[in-house]
């Protein structure tokens, strides 16, 4: 049986490991050079640091995952630096691109572990050099030993906000402000549920406490006003919960409001998407074991709905077992199923603690750019709902009219905000405005790529 | 935008060019790091006249870091390792 696994982060590694344990040697494809996923990405040669410095509290998990990754690579048909840019579920084929060459991988069953990226809300001035995603700021530090600037402000919400700010301060960068758009009261209300994942909760409190103890400026319940600068970032302004306006001088800003699935391949595979109210996002439909309505396609990890790295490891192994079960093998799944169920309950609490700030996207000024690829303003998107073109009752019509989501990132970056802006303009829910449909190639491929 | 080197600076030096001018980087840098730590300031200009861009996601997703490398064509600066002798143009 031909099995393909896409992705070599926590879910992909554990999926491949489980397949190998049952004598299946999958084709294993990853876009990065060395696997590990975004969270456990290892720096290139020359920058090797010990796991404790790189991954902090997560060092034991990172080390264990790297060991599994390195053990599995030679046993699988390992293909790093390879992009899967299309999937043809009818023919059961993946279209790949590696070092400028196109290829085809045939499969009987495939497990997609495509991971996540930052969920962002545009802020006026967010295209200025000096602004990165929170994940990008973390990659610069972990994988390149660099800070995104000399004086850095962090803006957003969620566990990564505090973690990245802490990592920067520890590395010797000047963190000038940590601005959380979530009010303290919202987080507090979710605390009882968060206690279901005591380790995660305690780590979060530790970072916040550390930042406070080191005198770093922290504000909660803020509304970002603008990232300022001519040619590059020179400051950031915001409004506090009581209406006061503040500004810090900085030369870099890290932005992020949690993560969103990189689910483009699942979309192209024809898997229906459902609106997940807790995550406030569209996720591909799958059962708890990772089975989808499309025969032969399984999903695991953050690419199938955000659950975090710990969940991804369990889900990757579980999806591999589902594949084996469907192929008629007898496997034991009860322990994994129990673990997934208990981790899932903590996730719901986390989403409640850091809800997506719909109001911020909806409240953006007309002259703010929301689409980096096509240079579109919020006003241009809002205008699609009135005339003179056909009114846009949903996202794909707005896309046809305004080119929103048609750019080179395919709506990865602006999609979440575009949905909020349209929904607010039309007076309906984000679930009702729909979701941008995916198209191949999932990432731009050079026209010169040789077949 | 100026990336600030905070760690792991004890690495071999690489020499690249950007629009023909020399630029020093370190082994293990991505093209994005090489350029933005080396003082290039930005990677490309928006096609829509809204100014400079210098990447955004640093993980190969947003496509806002395109540059041209001689022999490789258009690449994502954040997803391409810098090599000694690379000739880079802004994208
Ligand atoms: S910075 Fe986003 S693709 Fe390179």
């Amino acid at each position: 049986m031909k099995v393909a696994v896409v992705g070599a982060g926590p879910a992909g590694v554990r999926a491949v490991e489980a397949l190998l344990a049952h004598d299946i040697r999958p084709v294993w494809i990853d876009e990065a050079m060395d696997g590990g996923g975004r969270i456990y990405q290892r720096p290139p040669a020359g920058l090797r640091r010990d796991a404790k410095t790189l991954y902090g509290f997560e060092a034991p998990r990172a080390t264990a995952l790297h060991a599994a990754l390195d053990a599995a690579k030679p046993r699988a048909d390992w293909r790093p630096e390879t992009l899967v840019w299309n999937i043809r579920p009818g023919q059961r084929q993946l279209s790949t691109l590696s070092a400028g060459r196109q290829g085809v991988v045939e499969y009987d069953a495939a497990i997609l572990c495509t991971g996540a990226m930052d969920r962002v809300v545009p802020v006026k001035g967010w295209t200025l050099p000096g602004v990165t995603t929170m994940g990008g700021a973390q990659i610069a530090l972990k994988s390149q030993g660099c800070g995104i600037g000399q004086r850095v402000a962090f803006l957003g919400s969620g566990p990564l906000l505090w973690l990245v700010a802490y990592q920067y301060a520890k590395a010797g960068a000047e963190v000038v402000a940590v601005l959380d758009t979530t009010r303290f009261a919202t987080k507090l209300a979710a605390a009882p549920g968060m206690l279901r994942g005591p380790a995660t909760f305690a780590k979060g409190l530790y970072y916040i406490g550390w930042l406070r103890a080191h005198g770093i400026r922290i504000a909660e319940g803020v509304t970002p006003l603008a990232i300022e600068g001519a040619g590059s970032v020179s400051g950031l302004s915001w409004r506090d919960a009581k209406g006061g306006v503040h500004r810090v001088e900085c030369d870099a800003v890290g932005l992020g409001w949690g993560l969103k699935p990189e689910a483009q391949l699942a979309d192209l595979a024809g898997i229906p998407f459902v609106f997940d109210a807790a995550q406030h996002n569209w996720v591909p439909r799958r059962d708890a074991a990772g089975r989808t309505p499309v025969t032969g396609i399984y999903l695991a990890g953050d690419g199938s709905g955000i659950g975090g790295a710990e969940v991804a490891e369990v889900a990757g192994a579980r999806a591999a077992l589902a594949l084996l079960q469907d192929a008629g093998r007898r496997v034991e799944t009860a322990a994994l199923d129990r673990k997934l169920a208990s981790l899932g309950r903590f996730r719901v609490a986390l989403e409640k603690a850091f809800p997506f700030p719909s109001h911020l996207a909806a409240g953006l000024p007309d002259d703010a750019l929301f689409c980096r690829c096509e240079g579109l303003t919020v006003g241009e998107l809002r205008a699609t709902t009135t005339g003179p073109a056909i009114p846009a009752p949903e996202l794909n019509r707005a896309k046809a009219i305004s080119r929103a989501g048609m750019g080179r990132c395919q709506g990865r970056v602006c999609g979440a905000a575009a949905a909020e802006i349209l929904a607010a303009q039309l007076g309906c829910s984000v679930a009702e405005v729909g979701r941008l449909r995916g198209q191949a190639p999932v990432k731009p491929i050079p026209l010169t790529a040789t077949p | 935008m100026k990336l600030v080197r905070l760690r792991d600076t004890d690495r071999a030096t690489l020499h690249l060019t950007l629009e023909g001018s020399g630029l020093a980087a370190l082994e293990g840098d991505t093209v994005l790091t090489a350029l933005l730590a080396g003082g290039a300031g930005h990677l490309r200009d928006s096609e829509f006249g809204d100014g400079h861009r210098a990447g955004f996601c640093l993980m190969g997703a947003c496509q806002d870091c395109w540059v041209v490398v001689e022999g490789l064509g258009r690449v994502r600066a954040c997803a391409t390792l810098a090599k000694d002798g690379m000739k880079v143009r802004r994208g």
Side-chain angles (χ1 to χ4, degrees):
Chain A
M1 152 176 219
K2 286 178 291 194
V3 177
V5 176
V6 181
V13 168
R14 296 303 178 192
V16 168
E17 187 182 53
L19 292 169
L20 289 169
H22 290 85
D23 300 315
I24 287 181
R25 181 173 182 261
V27 174
W28 189 12
I29 308 171
D30 195 60
E31 204 186 340
M33 293 166 226
D34 188 31
R38 297 299 167 202
I39 177 159
Y40 302 133
Q41 183 184 346
R42 285 180 284 199
L47 291 102
R48 301 277 174 189
R49 251 173 275 153
D50 64 284
K52 182 76 201 146
T53 323
L54 272 170
Y55 308 108
F57 288 128
E58 310 307 325
R61 276 191 179 279
T63 308
L65 195 89
H66 290 151
L69 168 69
D70 292 336
K73 276 180 189 171
R75 297 177 61 207
D77 181 351
W78 168 239
R79 304 189 190 180
E81 291 188 81
T82 302
L83 169 75
V84 177
W85 60 268
N86 195 11
I87 182 166
R88 293 196 181 85
Q91 290 93 323
R92 302 211 178 187
Q93 284 179 342
L94 305 174
S95 311
T96 62
L97 179 76
S98 183
R101 295 194 76 84
Q102 294 196 27
V104 170
V105 170
E106 315 237 322
Y107 63 85
D108 299 312
I111 308 178
L112 307 179
C113 310
T114 44
M117 74 168 287
D118 293 82
R119 182 161 62 169
V120 295
V121 179
V123 175
K124 210 168 143 82
W126 70 307
T127 55
L128 282 167
V131 184
T132 72
T133 60
M134 207 72 78
Q138 194 179 36
I139 287 168
L141 186 62
K142 279 210 305 204
S143 162
Q144 296 282 282
C146 288
I148 57 171
Q150 196 75 249
R151 293 170 53 81
V152 187
F154 292 101
L155 167 66
S157 194
L160 207 54
L161 171 71
W162 305 99
L163 172 62
V164 179
Y166 164 80
Q167 288 171 329
Y168 264 66
K170 269 241 139 164
E174 190 183 348
V175 177
V176 296
V178 184
L179 306 174
D180 188 343
T181 58
T182 307
R183 291 175 325 134
F184 178 69
T186 309
K187 286 175 278 192
L188 195 65
M194 304 265 279
L195 291 169
R196 288 211 181 90
T200 312
F201 189 52
K203 277 180 272 181
L205 289 178
Y206 174 81
Y207 301 134
I208 298 173
W210 191 95
L211 290 162
R212 284 198 197 283
H214 287 74
I216 288 165
R217 183 168 185 179
I218 290 172
E220 291 167 294
V222 310
T223 303
L225 293 176
I227 299 168
E228 297 152 8
S232 68
V233 173
S234 61
L236 168 66
S237 58
W238 73 92
R239 200 168 49 230
D240 67 27
K242 293 204 183 82
V245 172
H246 306 265
R247 180 178 189 280
V248 283
E249 303 217 340
C250 55
D251 62 356
V253 178
L255 288 182
W257 283 265
L259 301 173
K260 59 194 275 292
E262 280 280 280
Q264 294 82 9
L265 283 179
D267 195 358
L268 295 179
I271 298 167
F273 278 56
V274 287
F275 192 79
D276 181 311
Q279 300 192 19
H280 199 70
N281 204 348
W282 294 90
V283 294
R285 198 193 315 157
R286 57 164 173 93
D287 69 11
R291 290 185 185 88
T292 72
V294 178
T295 316
I297 301 285
Y298 301 81
L299 301 175
D302 280 353
S304 64
I306 305 303
E310 196 176 344
V311 175
E313 286 194 49
V314 186
R318 184 63 186 90
L321 295 187
L323 185 158
L324 290 160
Q325 282 176 315
D326 297 346
R329 306 276 193 103
R330 285 175 64 102
V331 291
E332 183 45 60
T333 65
L336 288 182
D337 288 336
R338 272 197 305 274
K339 207 159 174 199
L340 278 174
S342 91
L343 287 168
R345 285 192 291 273
F346 171 63
R347 191 70 215 175
V348 172
L350 199 62
E351 298 291 351
K352 277 203 190 108
F354 302 106
F356 185 71
S358 308
H359 64 288
L360 294 182
L364 279 167
D366 272 344
D367 62 344
L369 277 184
F370 86 93
C371 166
R372 305 175 70 91
C373 303
E374 298 287 317
L376 294 170
T377 63
V378 173
E380 285 171 287
L381 180 62
R382 287 190 179 127
T384 62
T385 61
T386 51
I390 328 145
E394 60 94 34
L395 210 45
N396 290 288
R397 294 270 294 281
K399 169 177 166 181
I401 297 166
S402 72
R403 305 191 314 279
M406 248 187 224
R408 48 175 78 164
C409 88
Q410 289 215 8
R412 277 180 178 77
V413 179
C414 68
E420 298 295 342
I421 295 165
L422 272 186
Q425 192 70 8
L426 294 164
C428 65
S429 71
V430 274
E432 285 169 307
V433 291
R435 137 195 111 77
L436 286 171
R437 282 185 293 268
Q439 271 168 340
V442 298
K443 288 184 181 175
I445 59 173
L447 294 170
T448 52
T450 36
Chain B
M1 173 177 198
K2 173 98 167 136
L3 289 183
V4 180
R5 295 195 188 273
L6 295 168
R7 285 184 160 153
D8 302 304
T9 48
D10 185 20
R11 282 179 276 152
T13 308
L14 306 175
H15 298 279
L16 287 71
T17 64
L18 174 63
E19 322 285 1
S21 316
L23 191 139
L26 298 179
E27 188 182 6
D29 279 359
T30 62
V31 173
L32 182 142
T33 302
L35 264 51
L36 296 178
H42 66 283
L43 302 175
R44 51 181 295 269
D45 281 305
S46 160
E47 299 84 340
F48 306 95
D50 58 82
H52 299 330
R53 300 284 178 91
F56 181 56
C57 72
L58 274 62
M59 58 174 79
C62 77
Q63 317 293 326
D64 213 351
C65 64
W66 285 1
V67 296
V68 177
V69 174
E70 201 175 280
L72 295 179
R74 185 193 77 202
V75 299
R76 290 167 298 180
C78 71
T80 309
L81 274 186
K83 296 268 156 56
D84 203 43
M86 249 184 189
K87 296 188 173 65
V88 186
R89 278 186 289 124
R90 289 200 168 91

